[in-house]
Amino acid sequence: MVKDTPRTRILIIYTGGTIGMIENPETRVLQPFDFTHLIDNVPKIKMLNFDIDNIQFDPPIDSSNMDPSHWSEIARAIENNYDAYDGFVILHGTDTMAYTASALSFMLENLNKPVIITGSQLPIGEVRTDGEENLITALQVAAERTSSGEAMVQEVAILFENHLIRGNRSSKVSADNFNAFLSNNYPDLARVGLDIIYDEDSLARDSSNRPLMVHDVMDPNVMFIVLHPGMTSSTLEYLLNTPGIKGVVLKTYGAGNSPSGEWFTGPIAKAIERGVVILNVTQCVNGAVNSSLYDTGNTLARAGVISGHDITSEAAITKMMYLFGKGMSNKQVEKYLQRNICGEMTINKS
Ligand code: ASP
């Protein structure tokens, strides 16, 4: 007797974003709308040969309003439905999608099922929408199996237009191009064209077989300090003395360089002595921090600033939130910032 293979089951988690928005007839601005409206605009979904269920944020939100409590809500939804589904598709606004993708990659430990995040630049009700294609492709990616029958993607990834990219390597690079997301320091997980061509060497594999563990506490007492010529010492001191601040992602120039004068290095060193953790991340969209290249970068390393190597800003800030959220001391946070936890950075020798 031929055994029936069970149908693939995918859960869509609709959080909001342009993909599901419609224009308010009075104000003419786009506002999030409910999932029924969204799915009614994708009749092709019925042609997919798998079972699809959905849950939605109530109310759906513009992703500019996303915060760590929403990330916890998504992570818990995945945890509560983990055994019942083969894969998850998260519909999300594009503005903070790279932050959510990075945050979830840390929050979902031992993930071995696909969590594919997508959205669109034009609402799904628009004639030229990119939302329909992105949604259908995300569902296909979430359902894809390898020749040995395991999930093709076993990590958090963003599917957008022609790219499937690792969530914690992604950045939004365009406010109006359909190809809005790129992974600047890591190969695409798949190229999406006529076919979806997976790069199996780049895909994460968790062979530990440990059960999914969700970490849903993120500590928001972290911040970016972005360097620019003309920054004053009073601005710098003010920011470093922000009440309650535990971690700073310092967005430096080029290969991790900063001004070398005492006005700059002094307050940085003092903040580190007070216990603030400072991570050096380059402002460049591509490449890595290399503190041994120039004296200006080396000064920071000597003061105790940690190298973020080629980590994105989005992954850096959410990694800090995650580590402090686990209740770690500043020394422990410094230790784990120097380690690659889930494919978010490539460690060089700097
Ligand atoms: N403001 C929207 C959002 O992030 C933009 C989008 O979805 O493209 O929710």
Side-chain angles (χ1 to χ4, degrees):
M1 208 175 92
V2 184
K3 245 176 65 203
D4 274 354
T5 13
R7 274 163 66 91
T8 303
R9 301 196 65 200
I10 308 292
L11 181 66
I12 298 178
I13 303 172
Y14 171 51
T15 69
T18 296
I19 191 164
M21 289 189 187
I22 55 172
E23 196 177 274
N24 179 317
E26 276 147 40
T27 60
R28 313 292 311 261
V29 298
L30 289 172
Q31 288 175 341
F33 210 64
D34 73 9
F35 187 77
T36 322
H37 150 79
L38 192 153
I39 223 66
D40 284 351
N41 278 284
V42 198
K44 277 192 207 142
I45 218 164
K46 297 196 185 74
M47 293 164 71
L48 297 173
N49 187 25
F50 30 84
D51 295 330
I52 300 167
D53 293 324
N54 70 84
I55 50 181
Q56 74 164 57
F57 270 23
D58 185 19
I61 59 169
D62 185 304
S63 80
S64 303
N65 286 320
M66 235 347 117
D67 67 34
S69 71
H70 297 111
W71 298 336
S72 301
E73 198 176 330
I74 300 170
R76 286 287 167 218
I78 291 171
E79 182 181 41
N80 294 338
N81 292 284
Y82 199 64
D83 294 335
Y85 291 91
D86 300 295
F88 302 85
V89 169
I90 302 172
L91 298 180
H92 194 289
T94 58
D95 289 343
T96 60
M97 188 182 284
Y99 290 91
T100 298
S102 300
L104 288 176
S105 74
F106 299 114
M107 296 166 91
L108 302 171
E109 192 178 337
N110 306 329
L111 183 70
N112 61 12
K113 293 189 178 185
V115 173
I116 312 298
I117 311 182
T118 195
S120 67
Q121 294 281 54
L122 282 176
I124 206 135
E126 298 267 335
V127 185
R128 290 184 56 250
T129 186
D130 50 330
E132 180 176 14
E133 194 180 308
N134 283 347
L135 172 55
I136 298 275
T137 310
L139 287 164
Q140 288 181 323
V141 168
E144 187 67 30
R145 296 271 163 279
T146 62
S147 48
S148 57
E150 56 172 17
M152 177 63 85
V153 179
Q154 305 183 15
E155 58 184 299
V156 180
I158 287 184
L159 178 284
F160 220 88
E161 195 71 4
N162 298 121
H163 302 268
L164 178 72
I165 54 187
R166 174 163 296 163
N168 56 32
R169 293 287 194 153
S170 65
S171 297
K172 183 173 179 181
V173 293
S174 175
D176 45 25
N177 198 309
F178 284 153
N179 261 316
F181 287 87
L182 285 182
S183 166
N184 289 303
N185 281 330
Y186 190 77
D188 281 10
L189 305 182
R191 290 284 305 152
V192 182
L194 287 185
D195 295 309
I196 304 174
I197 312 208
Y198 292 91
D199 176 358
E200 296 204 30
D201 291 338
S202 301
L203 288 159
R205 289 287 176 261
D206 182 277
S207 48
S208 69
N209 262 329
R210 282 191 292 253
L212 177 75
M213 198 189 291
V214 172
H215 306 275
D216 70 348
V217 181
M218 299 291 266
D219 190 331
N221 290 305
V222 296
M223 69 191 287
F224 286 119
I225 296 184
V226 186
L227 300 193
H228 60 86
M231 176 181 248
T232 63
S233 58
S234 57
T235 307
L236 180 68
E237 299 230 19
Y238 185 84
L239 293 172
L240 288 171
N241 284 293
T242 302
I245 207 70
K246 294 180 181 171
V248 171
V249 175
L250 190 64
K251 296 192 63 170
T252 56
Y253 307 127
N257 305 314
S258 70
S260 48
E262 175 60 26
W263 73 269
F264 185 83
T265 52
I268 293 278
K270 266 196 217 123
I272 293 171
E273 271 162 36
R274 284 200 314 274
V276 178
V277 176
I278 306 187
L279 182 67
N280 187 350
V281 171
T282 175
Q283 291 177 19
C284 296
V285 292
N286 171 248
V289 167
N290 181 350
S291 319
S292 51
L293 202 56
Y294 297 97
D295 189 43
T296 45
N298 203 248
T299 318
L300 284 183
R302 280 199 308 271
V305 175
I306 311 282
S307 169
H309 301 276
D310 64 351
I311 197 168
T312 62
S313 300
E314 295 89 338
I317 199 95
T318 53
K319 186 173 180 179
M320 270 197 179
M321 289 186 191
Y322 158 76
L323 295 174
F324 282 117
K326 289 184 86 169
M328 287 184 181
S329 69
N330 56 347
K331 286 287 158 235
Q332 283 172 310
V333 170
E334 284 181 356
K335 180 168 132 192
Y336 284 99
L337 283 176
Q338 293 173 67
R339 292 194 187 169
N340 170 36
I341 297 181
C342 50
E344 75 281 8
M345 78 184 179
T346 315
I347 311 229
N348 57 28
K349 286 178 246 56
S350 67

